[in-house]
Structure formats: C-alpha cells, structure tokens
Amino acid sequence: MLQNQEVNQDERQEALRLLYANVLTSTVVSALISTAFVFSFTREGDSSGQLIWLVVMTIVLSLRLFDLLQYRRKSSQHFVATPKDLWRFSSLCFLVSSTWGVYPLLFHPFSDSLELITTIIVLSGIGSGVTIMWSANKPTAIACILSMSVPYSILLLLSSDSYERVLGIMGMTYAIAMSLTASKLSSFTYKAIRLKNQNSQLLLTMEKKVDLRTQEIYRLSNIDRLTGFLNRTAFLKKLNKMTHSRTSTPFALLFIDLDGFKQVNDSLGHEVGDKVIKETATRIASLSRGVFPVCRWGGDEFLLAYTFSTPEDIEPFTQQLIDIINLPHQTSQSKTWVGASIGISLYPQHGTHYDTLIQNADMAMYQQKRLEKGKVGYFNESLRLKIIRERFLSDRLVTAIEGNELRLVFQPIVRNTTRGIVGVEALLRWNLDGEEVSPVEFIPIAEQYGMIKSIGLWVVEKACQQIIDLSGKGEELTVSINVSIIQFQDKDFVDHVKELMSRLSFEPSRLHIEITESVFAADKAALITQIKALQEINIKISIDDFGTGYSSLASMQSLGVDIVKIDKSFIDEIHGSGSNIIHAVLQISQPMGYQVVAEGVETLDQVEVLNKIGVHYLQGYYFSKPLEIEQLKNYLDKRL
C-alpha cells in the first residue's frame, strides 16, 4: 500500500509539472487574444461592458501567473505535490475558461454575423489548445472545454434564427468531440506518466542490485595483489572523495618512482624485482601507517596522498620516505639497492581534480629525475607549460620533414682580405603552423627524443643539394653544418656522410662540419676516431662558439680540427677583454694551421679591427643576415 502511495505521489508530481509547463504560454495567448477581441469589436457608444470584462480577465490571468510563480518557487525547494495543489491549478484554469464562456453570453445581443463567427472560431481554437495543454488532468481539460463552449451553444440552439441554431448544433457537437478527444488524450498521457514512474521504480530497484554487486566486486578487486595497497581504481575513487568533500583539507600528492629498479629487474629477474617491490611497499606503509591513502600506480611507481598540518611538514616526511626506500634489500645472492625520486603536487594550489593532481605530480617527478635523481621536485605552472610545449613539439617534430616544415637558411662567410664570399653556414629553421620555432628550443628536444640523427642527415643532404644548385654563382662555395654530439656518437654517422657525398657527387672538401665545445665532455677517443675518418675524405672540421665551453687549445690540438670559430661574445667585447682572446687564438692557431672565423660581426669598426688583427674569415649581420635560398641566389648575383 505504501509503495502504491509513493507511485501515486510521483504521478501527481509529474502531472503537475506538465500542467504548469504550459501556464505561461496559455496565459500570454489568452491576454493577447482577449485584448485584441475587445478592441476589435468595440461597440459604438457604450463599450464599458467589454472593458469591464477585459479587466476581469486580466485579474484572473494575473492570479494564474502569481500561482505559477508560487509553484516555481516551491519547485526549486523540491516540494511534494498534494491534491490541494492540483485543485488550485484546476480552479484557476476553470475560472479562465468560464470567463471566456461568459463573454459571448453577455454580448450576443449586440454581435453581428462577423463577431458571431469570430467568437465561435476563437473559442474553438482555445478549446483545441486546452485539449492538448491540460491533457495531464482529464477533469480539468473537459471542464474547461465545456465551460467555454456549452453555454453559448445552448444560447444559439434556443435562438429563433435558423442560422444561429445551426451554429449552436455545431458548437455543441464540437464541445462533445473535444471532450471525447481530451478524454482519450488524457488517458494516453496518464498511461505515459504511470509507465515512466514504473520504469523509474524498476530502474531504481535494478540500480540497487547492481550497486550491491558492484560493492562485492570492489571488495574483491580494489587491492593490489603484490603490495596490498589500493589499486588504481580504488585509489582514484579515494582521491576523488578527498577533492570533492565539503571538509576537504589540503594535502600533497606524492608520485614516487624507484630509481634503478629496471636494472635490478633485468639483471636479477622478476622474482627479485617483485620482492623489492613488496619490501618497498612495506617500508612506505610503515610511514603512512594506514592514515594516508597509498596506491601502487604501476610497475615501480607509487602514489601517496599526504595530509599535512603545515606545508613545512612535507619535506621531513618525503625525506623519510627517500631514506627508508634507499635502505638495501637482501636477496638470495647479495644486497641490492634502489632509490626514489618524488614529484609533488599540492591540493588545491596545483589542481582541484585528481586527474590534474596526478598529471602535475608526474610532471614534477619526471623533471626531477632529469635534473637529479633521488630528490624531491615540486610542480609549478611554468613546468606544466614547458612539458606540454615539449611534448607537443616532439610529436610534431616526428613528421616535420615529411610535412616540409623544416628548411635551411644560409649566412655568408667572407674572406677578410678580399671581402669575397667563400662559403655559407647552413642553419636549420622550423615553421610550425606559421610559428617560427627557435632551434634553441627544438634541437634539444630532437636530441632527447632520438630524432636528431635523421634530422641531422636530412640537413647534410639538403644543404649539399642546395649548394650544388647554386653552381655558376661564383667560386665553389663551402657549406658549414652544425652536427650534434649525439650524431658523432653514432658509429654509422661517417658511413652515412660518405654515402651522401657519393650519391650527390658533392666534393667533400666543400663540406665543413661544425661541432660545439660540448663534444669535449664526451669520449675523446671515439670522437677523434670519427673526426679522423671524416678528414680522410677531405671534410673539414670546425670548432663552433670557441671559448664558451669545455675546450682548450691543447684539446683542440689532440683532436686535429681545421677551423676555429670565435664566439660572438668576444667580438662584442673587441675593444675590451675580447681583443686579447682574439689575438691569443690567432697567434696559437696559425702555427697549428688552423683557419680562424669571427662570428657575429655587426659593425664596420669590428671589421676594421679584425682585419688589423689578421682574422681570416668574417661572418655576421654586417655582411648579411641568414638568407632563404632564393635570397641567397639574389645576394650572390649582386655580389658578382
């Protein structure tokens, strides 16, 4: 019985919602039609009766609007509909329809044929609307139709005018037909409301059963088998509750990644690896003490939500974590060690959604491992933007060659004594969707993500091919190309270059490969082997940006380079300490047979000083900025 009462209550609630949904429209329409009706058929002489009727109608419609506002106010407070609410709605509807029904009775004696026909049409139209709009309640719909149509139809039937009697018969027939239609439509609407509520009850019952089954499955599957920690699904739910609770307190999300675990797993086997993971989990649990949610995120990664009293508590806790994880693990063979790097994001400063917090902690951990393992790194907004930008560029760089986004520009190198162009330096440019991405930004990304080898070979091939296309523009130009240390460490690099020289029929002596001073931090023996192999086929080797890195003249002598390029910073200080450096490089380079190039020459004064010092070649904006290939062709034509 109680269940049936709940169903009836739900049905009443839904019916009332449907009824009130049409109140505003029907009220506005009634107001417009009644106003137009009165002023369209104003009587000559005294029309006060019609105006009084219009005032009454306005008052009735105002009551209806007030009732609508009251309903909406109560609906916003999730009120429970009662029979009294339905009775009040029906009473106001009947009052409106009765007011319409009174109009033709009052003014029939003064109506002509046009007004008579118009009145019947208007009442019929309103009756049709009532049939549809109040279909959610059969008594209301039928009562409204009858109160509007029947009184006037009876009046016409009693008329002595046969024309009016015919209209009366039509009006009565219409009232009966509309009442039958309203009855059927109301039955249909009621069945739809009942079916909807029955489905809701069924759905609610099914949801309860599913929820019980889900809880059972959750109990069986929310624990990580190896560590006893929460698995991903369970931890995310826990974290979601922490970030959406009304009493949410600040916490630090720690993303813990084990350093050196892969080597342990690969060298000692998965059984030892599992043992290390279990022991590490036990150590983390000893610090979390069941107070802080912990999750094995995957592999050798853990997440821990540390609720702190003050931000100063975080550092001692994370240091304890690192210290306890760093303790040795006893295996059947010997002791082994793993470390931990931790990335931290703070709630709510670094995000209010668990996905954001995890991503930010992951970024902080990843960045910390790149900078220094075994430490703690905090997330910040600049880090997020940097990593997002880096990932975006790395994704797009993969297809940059195929998409014709990479190109070369060339900066001329001139002989100091004659000012004639002897060569050019090829510089790589990347136009990404209209944005010129700086090589300073994308070259390290290409090196980090393993794309520098393919891009570097493309640069060598493209530069040589474009220099070949410049044949006839003067003397045979050399082309200088920057090569990454990663390319030099590739054992196949020299063979690739040889193959390119042969395939393009390019004279190797015209190719100058520039290496930065960072190569001196690498394996010098392997570097010397690569340099000698290139020099054997007459390729020249240049040290670029000399004086800013690791190199010394002694190191250069052991490498046996051919050209030294003095960095722009010394040219800028040519009237200060830079002059001494330039003199020293030139004096030591000449006995060794090195050619010297001054980079970044921008003024005539610098040109004249460098000429006096005796620098062999000059390069910089004073002579030309880096030129597109077509600009270079025009530049060479003008020089000729």
Side-chain angles (χ1 to χ4, degrees), residues 273-456:
D274 287 350
K275 183 175 185 295
V276 169
I277 291 293
K278 289 176 67 175
E279 289 183 358
T280 300
T282 301
R283 296 173 185 181
I284 295 174
S286 69
L287 288 179
S288 66
R289 301 183 301 277
V291 177
F292 311 120
V294 189
C295 159
R296 184 190 179 199
W297 190 244
D300 60 342
E301 297 173 336
F302 300 88
L303 290 180
L304 186 150
Y306 174 66
T307 305
F308 54 84
S309 300
T310 64
E312 290 72 22
D313 298 336
I314 300 174
E315 186 175 348
F317 180 78
T318 53
Q319 190 57 54
Q320 282 183 292
L321 268 177
I322 291 175
D323 291 342
I324 199 170
I325 291 173
N326 283 344
L327 294 175
H329 296 269
Q330 183 66 51
T331 68
S332 58
Q333 302 171 359
S334 61
K335 290 183 179 180
T336 187
W337 286 263
V338 294
S341 297
I342 301 177
I344 297 178
S345 62
L346 302 177
Y347 171 84
Q349 295 96 312
H350 299 152
T352 56
H353 193 273
Y354 64 84
D355 272 347
T356 305
L357 291 169
I358 293 171
Q359 290 173 6
N360 293 343
D362 187 19
M363 289 182 191
M365 181 277 296
Y366 174 76
Q367 179 71 0
Q368 185 58 48
K369 286 181 78 75
R370 290 203 300 182
L371 296 175
E372 184 180 4
K373 293 181 179 180
K375 301 291 184 181
V376 177
Y378 284 81
F379 170 81
N380 57 63
E381 184 62 18
S382 62
L383 171 62
R384 185 183 73 84
L385 295 176
K386 176 183 177 183
I387 292 179
I388 290 175
R389 170 76 171 175
E390 181 180 294
R391 289 175 178 172
F392 169 71
L393 292 180
S394 66
D395 289 342
R396 292 296 301 272
L397 199 55
V398 173
T399 58
I401 295 176
E402 292 79 358
N404 294 319
E405 297 171 1
L406 297 178
R407 72 185 192 285
L408 298 178
V409 295
F410 300 88
Q411 187 171 37
I413 301 172
V414 302
R415 192 187 306 276
N416 194 3
T417 54
T418 65
R419 305 295 165 82
I421 299 175
V422 296
V424 292
E425 180 178 358
L427 302 168
L428 184 59
R429 296 291 184 265
W430 184 16
N431 186 286
L432 176 59
D433 300 333
E435 175 194 1
E436 288 290 337
V437 185
S438 169
V440 174
E441 183 177 16
F442 74 80
I443 291 298
I445 294 175
E447 292 177 337
Q448 179 183 344
Y449 289 91
M451 293 174 275
I452 192 64
K453 294 179 182 179
S454 58
I455 291 175

Side-chain angles (χ1 to χ4, degrees), residues 411-577:
Q411 187 171 37
I413 301 172
V414 302
R415 192 187 306 276
N416 194 3
T417 54
T418 65
R419 305 295 165 82
I421 299 175
V422 296
V424 292
E425 180 178 358
L427 302 168
L428 184 59
R429 296 291 184 265
W430 184 16
N431 186 286
L432 176 59
D433 300 333
E435 175 194 1
E436 288 290 337
V437 185
S438 169
V440 174
E441 183 177 16
F442 74 80
I443 291 298
I445 294 175
E447 292 177 337
Q448 179 183 344
Y449 289 91
M451 293 174 275
I452 192 64
K453 294 179 182 179
S454 58
I455 291 175
L457 289 174
W458 178 87
V459 170
V460 175
E461 180 174 5
K462 190 72 173 178
C464 293
Q465 183 62 61
Q466 291 186 327
I467 292 301
I468 291 173
D469 294 340
L470 288 175
S471 298
K473 298 294 182 182
E475 60 181 292
E476 296 294 307
L477 298 177
T478 62
V479 59
S480 300
I481 298 172
N482 287 283
V483 174
S484 166
I485 179 59
I486 295 176
Q487 290 174 266
F488 258 97
Q489 291 171 340
D490 180 9
K491 59 182 179 61
D492 298 321
F493 173 68
V494 174
D495 291 334
H496 287 313
V497 173
K498 289 180 179 179
E499 187 274 329
L500 282 175
M501 297 296 98
S502 175
R503 176 160 52 84
L504 298 175
S505 298
F506 190 83
E507 173 55 45
S509 62
R510 296 171 61 192
L511 176 61
H512 294 182
I513 288 182
E514 297 186 0
I515 53 179
T516 62
E517 296 186 46
S518 61
V519 300
F520 292 95
D523 184 351
K524 187 175 294 185
L527 180 63
I528 291 174
T529 300
Q530 295 284 66
I531 288 176
K532 297 304 180 186
L534 292 169
Q535 290 176 327
E536 285 177 2
I537 59 172
N538 291 326
I539 291 176
K540 307 298 182 184
I541 304 296
S542 300
I543 293 293
D544 194 19
D545 300 331
F546 177 77
T548 60
Y550 299 93
S551 67
S552 66
L553 291 173
S555 297
M556 291 166 53
Q557 184 177 14
S558 64
L559 291 175
V561 298
D562 302 291
I563 301 168
V564 177
K565 300 188 77 172
I566 301 175
D567 186 69
K568 179 181 182 300
S569 60
F570 300 112
I571 308 303
D572 292 339
E573 296 292 327
I574 199 166
H575 290 295
S577 59

Side-chain angles (χ1 to χ4, degrees), residues 222-236:
N222 67 343
I223 301 298
D224 178 66
R225 177 190 57 82
L226 185 61
T227 63
F229 286 160
L230 298 174
N231 60 19
R232 280 194 179 203
T233 303
F235 183 78
L236 291 178

